[in-house]
Every structure is written in C-alpha cells, then in structure tokens.
Amino acid sequence: MKAAVTLLWVLLSVLGAVALGHVVGVVNPHEKVNGLWLVVAASCIYVLAYRFYGRWLARQVVELNNQRVTPAVRMNDGVNFHPTNKVVLFGHHFAAIAGAGPLLGPVLAAQFGFLPGFLWLVIGAVLAGAVQDFIILVASMRRNGRSLPEIAHDELGSITGTATAVAVLFIVVVALAGLGFAVVNALYHNAWGTFTIAMTIPIGFIMGFYLQKFRPGAVAEVSVIGVALLIAAVLFGRVVGQSSFAPWFEFERPTLVWLLGGYGFLASVLPGWMLLVPRGYLSTFMKLGVVFLLGFGVVLMAPTIEMPRVTAFAAGGGPIIPGTLFPFLFITIACGAVSGFHSLVASGTTPKMIEQESQAVVGYAAMLLESFVGVMALIAASVLIPGDYLAINTTLSADALSAMGFAPSRITELSKLVEVDVAGRPGGAVSLAVGMASIFAALPGMSGLMAYWYQFALVFEALFILTTIDTGTRVARYLIQEMAGRVYAPFRRMNWWPGVLLSSALVVGSWSYLIGTGSISTIWPMFGAANQLLGTLALCIGTTVLIKMWKSPYLWVTAVPMLFVGLITLAGSYEMFGMFLKKAATLAAGQAFALYLDAVLVAVVAVLGLIVLSDSLRQWYGYVILKKPFTSSEVVVMAGGGSAGRMQTAITDSDKDTRFRLPHGGGCC
C-alpha cells in the first residue's frame, strides 16, 4: 500500500513537471500554450504543496495538537465563538478571503504576459500567501481569537501595533476604491448589467428577512429562492435593456460612483443579517460554482493562450500598469499570491470557529484554492487576442494600440456578441467577463448565448465586489470607531448611532473620492502596495510568534517571504511616488491635487513598512542574538484540566465589545 501511495505521488510530480515544462516553454517553446497545461501544472503543485509542505508546517513548525482546547470550545457563546464543522469552516474561510482581488489582479497583470503572473500566483501562494494565512490563523487561535492589530500590540509593542491598525484602515479604503472602480467601468451605459446588479440588493433583503423573520433555519429553501431569483434577474435584464425602461439604468460614471457610495453606506449601517450575511452567502454559491464551471470549460475546450509568455511591457511603459515587471507584477497580483487582507480574516471570525487545532490547516488549503481562482482568471484574460485585451482595458484608440504592436482584431465582433460596447472599460472586470463568456459559449449547446454568459460573469464578479464593499466598509467603520474611542469613549460602542453614521460616512467618502478622481493605473497599484504592506506586517508578526514558540530554526519560513514582500512594497511605493509627482507636475492645480494626495498615501505606506521592519528587527536581535527575556500572549489550555504552560493573557467579557472584529461575509481578496 505504501509503495502504491509513493508511486502515486511520483506520477503526480512527473505530470506536474511535464505540464510546467509546457507552460514555461521548455517543451515546444515555439508553439502557443494550451490553457489546459496551466490548469494541470497549478493543480499538481497545489496538491503536492498541501500534502508535503503544509503538513510539515502543521507538524513540525507550529505543532498542531488536538489536546489543546480551542477558544471556540472554551469560550463558546453561540455568536462569535462556536465550534464549526470542518467542511463548513473551510467554506466560510474561503468565502471570506476570496473576493474580487484574485479575479482582477491577474487579469490586469496579464499585460506583462501570462508566464510571470502564473509563476507568481503558484509559487507566491505556496511559499508566502498560504504560510502567512496559516501562521496567523494559528497565532490568533492560540490567543483567544484576537485580531491582528491586537496581536501586533501584544507581541511587538505599541509602535508596530499602531502601524498595523493604520495599515488595516488604509488597505481597506484603497481596496474598496480599486474594486469599486472596476464595477463602475463595467456598468456605465450597460442597462442589462446595472438592472441585474441592482436586483441583487432586494434579493439579499428577501433572503435576510426570510431566514430571520419568516423561516429561521430554512437554509436550503432560501438558497433555492436566492439562486432562482438571481438567474431570473440575469434573464429579465436583457428584456429591460431592450425596452423603453433602459434609460433608467444607463448611468454615467459619476452617477454610478454616487450610487455605489450610497449602497456602501447603507450596507455598513444596516444589521448584518439584513443584507451583508445573505449577500455573502449567495456569493459563495457563485464563487464555487462559476470557478469550477470555468475550470470544467478549460479542461473540456482546452483553449489556446493567445497572450505571449512575456510582453514588451515587462520593461515598463505598459498602458494598464505603467511600471516595470519588478516590482509592479508583485503588487498588481497581491490577492491570489500573498494578501495581507487575509490576515484580518485569519485573525477575525475563523479562529473563533475552529473545534480542533488540526482544523487550522484550512488556512493553508483555502489560500491554495484562491490561488487557483487567480489562475483561472489569468487564463480567461489570456485567451483573448492581446490587442482586444488592451482595447478593453485601456481607453487608447485602435491606431495607438496598433503602433504598440497590439492591433485589436475582434473587439467589434465581441461587442456585438455580448450586446455591449466593451472597448474602453478598464479595471479588469469586463475583459475577465468577456474571456469567461468566450469559454462558456464554446461549450456544447451554448453557442449563441455569449451575451447571457457575459452578463452572468459580470454578476458573478459584482457579487464578489459588492460583498467586499459591504464587509470592507463595515471593517473600516469598526476600526475608526475603535481608534476614535481612545479619544472619545462613546465611539467604542458599536451601536452608538452618531459614531456609526459618522465613521461610515468617512469611509465611504474616502473610497468614493478615490474612485472619482483616480484611474486603474493609480488605484490598483496603490491597493497592491497597501495589501503587500499588510502582508509584510503579518509575516513580521508571524516571525515574532515563531520566536516566542522557541522555533528559531524555522524562522526562514516567514522571514524569507517577509523580506521579499517588504522589498517589493518599498520599491513599488518609491516608484509610484516618483510617477505621481512627475505626472502631477504636468497638470493644472485642481487636477494635480488628487495625484499629490496619492503620492502622500504611498509615502505613508513606505514609512509604515520601514517603521515595522526596523522595529521588528530590533526586537528579534534582542530575542535571538542577545537572548533577552520575552513574554507571550499565547494561551495554553489542555483537555482534561491539565495545563502545558502558563496562561498569560485572557480576554474578559468586557473586552469582547470593544476589540477589533471582522464581520461575517466575503472578503477582499
């Protein structure tokens, strides 16, 4: 039996190596790559990484032990802390981390070619992203489910703790701006899509009230109702788009920004059960269903990758992302490779739901699945002819693109097929939807349905994004209230309406302003830099946690990816700072203000990164080299009443209402 298992792993390794050889061009270097090879290579690497590296981390590095009593068991209150079935736990964690980030980032990064993005998605997820998520999840689980800013404060002091809190707020606001920008560009002058997306709001209300007021616990019933209403909205949307009511849903970009801001404000202040939770639940079906359907389409149709392995834009000057491949590839694809936002989820709801410590491996596994989502998005974008891809994601003319060597070929035909003019809609959402629709429409019996698949793909993306806006705005509101509560105590009460309304308005106003004044070439790199800053902070905290677990021989597990992510954050921030200032100098004062503000924001990112890295290195030198004593906030409670260590920090009942919390729902990345 053992020999058979060993043989299976050897065969899987060989298959993965062959597939990777085709992807990188070692095998048949002069032929276009079949998308199937990307799926096979990624899948093999993920399985092998989970089986061997993930298991090694669990057994040797953090030493998961089911004899430890988890906070979900010790502090079970049926609300925030509650033991959860491992399958449901995995579904929740994946839904919370897998937002629109892994869909849009790889699409935008395809500008550099498909190969750099593919390698970063796979290698980054295995060695950095999944490691970060897993280590932080374990750290939070062993500290009574405390949040990342709290762990940073406890383990690294007030300097790093404050920097982490500011970074969390910054990343959430910029992330919402980047994702909202994609929605706005996808929906302007698109009555079909706007109507369908608008209908998801009353559908969410119906599901929320159905479960809360009419049929509590009837999850299966409300699932059928929600999916049926969503499909009906897509189908009926075409009727609306071709009727006299179409002008009611054909908005300009500024109007859509106002509407999106109003929705974000409403979702932030309403009770979670009313809109946030049912929308997040509905999006989970869409996430898993569409991703696996896309994977099935790629396997069945084996589409050819039209995008080159590496384009000339790797040296800079790209029309979507203006910088060079290094560092901009690594900050454009944050989600799907390594995402600091995930550390908020890993220290938010998930550690409060783990019944046994061994279940914490969901932190490693879910990140690999998100990376697979990113690979699928990259394939969907890369099957488009490069000129058409650029025509969708830029506002450049066909002549300008032809001069770059990327002449549009089928952009007019694609617009007719999806019944929407898709040219000049940057942000990644539209090109992803067109690519997905092209794959779906090629399936047996699906010819002629590309317009429906396009709008369905937009709904799929929008559900990701709007769920993120729901959750992200609420997260930022919580953090502002917590920080303001240190100055004026009533702000700490999450149900104090003046604080709720004021903090929500501040968050919504901030990301709406960035959408209205920015572009995808400014907003998305800023989001990536902020996200990677938070990833650097999380890996710093993870390294400190390992030191205090007496695991110094294994520090490279978190320290190496931390140094790399920190380097790209600083390099990207430096280059963006120069680009923003240079561009602002050529504009009128009114137009230049937004770019000067962007320059200040990326400077703040760099400064926060330097503060955290220098403060962490100082403390590590003291702990590891000078052997200075330290304290840990880790809580150790063993089953049977025995204790394997000292309980140094406990969370009292009064703390539960004031500490930073991540609400249930979908995530950013």
Side-chain angles (χ1 to χ4, degrees):
M1 181 65 181
K2 186 177 180 180
V5 172
T6 302
L7 178 62
L8 178 63
W9 290 118
V10 170
L11 292 175
L12 191 66
S13 301
V14 172
L15 176 62
V18 172
L20 188 61
H22 281 84
V23 173
V24 302
V26 174
V27 181
N28 298 327
H30 303 296
E31 296 183 6
K32 291 182 177 179
V33 182
N34 192 298
L36 183 59
W37 286 122
L38 275 72
V39 173
V40 174
S43 300
C44 290
I45 293 171
Y46 295 144
V47 173
L48 291 167
Y50 178 77
R51 170 59 179 80
F52 294 101
Y53 193 49
R55 175 178 286 193
W56 178 78
L57 290 171
R59 291 183 173 181
Q60 299 296 322
V61 179
V62 298
E63 298 183 28
L64 296 182
N65 183 358
N66 284 339
Q67 290 301 306
R68 287 184 179 232
V69 185
T70 65
V73 176
R74 288 188 289 106
M75 306 168 65
N76 186 2
D77 59 7
V79 181
N80 294 311
F81 294 84
H82 51 94
T84 305
N85 175 275
K86 61 183 180 181
V87 177
V88 176
L89 179 71
F90 178 83
H92 161 80
H93 189 72
F94 172 72
I97 66 170
L103 294 175
L104 302 184
V107 172
L108 299 175
Q111 162 195 282
F112 299 114
F114 76 84
L115 182 59
F118 174 82
L119 293 177
W120 173 232
L121 280 167
V122 175
I123 298 173
V126 169
L127 299 180
V131 173
Q132 171 206 263
D133 294 11
F134 177 54
I135 297 295
I136 295 300
L137 177 58
V138 173
S140 178
M141 176 184 66
R142 291 178 173 177
R143 287 161 176 79
N144 285 338
R146 294 176 77 87
S147 69
L148 189 73
E150 291 173 318
I151 297 173
H153 186 276
D154 292 342
E155 304 296 346
L156 285 164
S158 58
I159 296 176
T160 298
T162 303
T164 303
V166 174
V168 170
L169 181 59
F170 183 81
I171 183 184
V172 170
V173 171
V174 179
L176 297 181
L179 299 176
F181 187 89
V183 171
V184 168
N185 277 337
L187 296 184
Y188 85 95
H189 291 179
N190 180 3
W192 184 350
T194 303
F195 170 82
T196 303
I197 302 305
M199 287 300 101
T200 65
I201 298 174
I203 291 173
F205 277 122
I206 291 171
M207 294 175 66
F209 277 94
Y210 192 89
L211 273 180
Q212 186 75 15
K213 303 296 183 181
F214 304 119
R215 293 277 291 169
V219 177
E221 292 179 22
V222 81
S223 301
V224 172
I225 293 171
V227 173
L229 290 174
L230 186 63
I231 294 173
V234 174
L235 296 176
F236 191 68
R238 187 183 192 187
V239 177
V240 173
Q242 296 177 343
S243 71
S244 58
F245 295 101
W248 292 17
F249 299 94
E250 291 181 349
F251 299 113
E252 299 292 337
R253 287 186 177 93
T255 305
L256 285 169
V257 173
W258 280 101
L259 291 173
L260 192 63
Y263 165 78
F265 181 84
L266 185 67
S268 174
V269 301
L270 288 176
W273 65 264
M274 198 174 290
L275 185 60
L276 186 144
V277 172
R279 280 282 300 269
Y281 180 72
L282 185 61
S283 71
T284 301
F285 281 98
M286 293 287 289
K287 291 174 185 179
L288 295 175
V290 174
V291 168
F292 284 111
L293 181 62
L294 182 59
F296 174 75
V298 171
V299 171
L300 187 64
M301 303 308 301
T304 299
I305 301 295
E306 299 291 344
M307 187 69 68
R309 285 186 173 86
V310 182
T311 70
F313 301 131
I320 303 174
I321 305 297
T324 55
L325 188 147
F326 182 91
F328 281 90
L329 169 76
F330 304 97
I331 59 179
T332 301
I333 303 180
C335 308
V338 53
S339 170
F341 188 90
H342 292 187
S343 62
L344 303 183
V345 180
S347 62
T349 54
T350 305
K352 303 176 181 66
M353 301 165 63
I354 296 175
E355 185 174 16
Q356 295 182 318
E357 277 209 340
S358 59
Q359 296 176 359
V361 294
V362 300
Y364 195 89
M367 180 62 210
L368 297 182
L369 184 57
E370 180 182 295
S371 180
F372 184 72
V373 173
V375 171
M376 291 292 99
L378 180 66
I379 293 173
S382 299
V383 298
L384 298 175
I385 294 171
D388 296 334
Y389 161 84
L390 292 173
I392 297 173
N393 283 293
T394 70
T395 56
L396 298 176
S397 66
D399 291 339
L401 292 173
S402 298
M404 293 180 179
F406 295 95
S409 172
R410 298 182 62 222
I411 192 68
T412 302
E413 179 187 354
L414 290 172
S415 296
K416 290 181 179 179
L417 288 171
V418 303
E419 301 179 12
V420 175
D421 183 8
V422 297
R425 294 178 180 267
V430 172
S431 57
L432 175 59
V434 172
M436 291 173 63
S438 300
I439 295 173
F440 291 151
L443 293 172
M446 296 295 175
S447 65
L449 298 178
M450 190 165 170
Y452 288 99
W453 281 119
Y454 172 77
Q455 297 295 347
F456 182 78
L458 279 187
V459 172
F460 160 70
E461 296 175 64
L463 277 176
F464 271 64
I465 293 171
L466 293 181
T467 300
T468 299
I469 288 175
D470 304 359
T471 306
T473 302
R474 192 174 291 245
V475 167
R477 170 175 64 90
Y478 285 169
L479 188 55
I480 288 177
Q481 286 190 252
E482 181 178 329
M483 296 170 70
R486 298 172 185 174
V487 180
Y488 186 59
F491 271 97
R492 283 184 173 269
R493 302 203 306 267
M494 298 301 166
N495 59 352
W496 187 58
W497 277 104
V500 171
L501 297 176
L502 183 61
S503 57
S504 296
L506 181 61
V507 174
V508 170
S510 297
W511 58 255
S512 296
Y513 175 79
L514 291 176
I515 296 174
T517 60
S519 65
I520 198 64
S521 62
T522 59
I523 292 176
W524 197 265
M526 286 172 59
F527 159 61
N531 202 359
Q532 300 300 45
L533 165 66
L534 190 54
T536 304
L537 300 185
L539 289 164
C540 271
I541 295 165
T543 303
T544 305
V545 167
L546 292 181
I547 290 174
K548 295 187 176 184
M549 291 172 59
W550 306 99
K551 295 290 184 177
S552 295
Y554 302 120
L555 292 187
W556 58 269
V557 167
T558 52
V560 171
M562 178 205 70
L563 291 173
F564 180 77
V565 176
L567 176 63
I568 62 177
T569 301
L570 294 174
S573 299
Y574 175 79
E575 292 196 25
M576 279 188 285
F577 183 79
M579 286 191 297
F580 292 161
L581 290 182
K582 184 178 180 179
K583 188 174 181 180
T586 65
L587 302 175
Q591 296 174 309
F593 175 79
L595 284 171
Y596 283 128
L597 178 61
D598 293 341
V600 170
L601 293 176
V602 297
V604 170
V605 169
V607 170
L608 287 173
L610 288 172
I611 290 174
V612 171
L613 286 172
S614 58
D615 187 53
S616 299
L617 288 170
R618 176 185 62 82
Q619 295 192 54
W620 298 340
Y621 180 80
Y623 297 149
V624 179
I625 305 300
L626 302 181
K627 308 297 181 182
K628 289 184 177 181
F630 54 76
T631 59
S632 173
S633 60
E634 182 176 348
V635 176
V636 182
V637 178
M638 306 299 289
S643 178
R646 60 186 183 275
M647 183 177 294
Q648 298 166 300
T649 299
I651 300 177
T652 65
D653 290 338
S654 61
D655 294 327
K656 294 178 184 180
D657 295 327
T658 60
R659 70 174 184 271
F660 177 76
R661 294 168 295 181
L662 185 73
H664 289 274
C668 157
C669 312

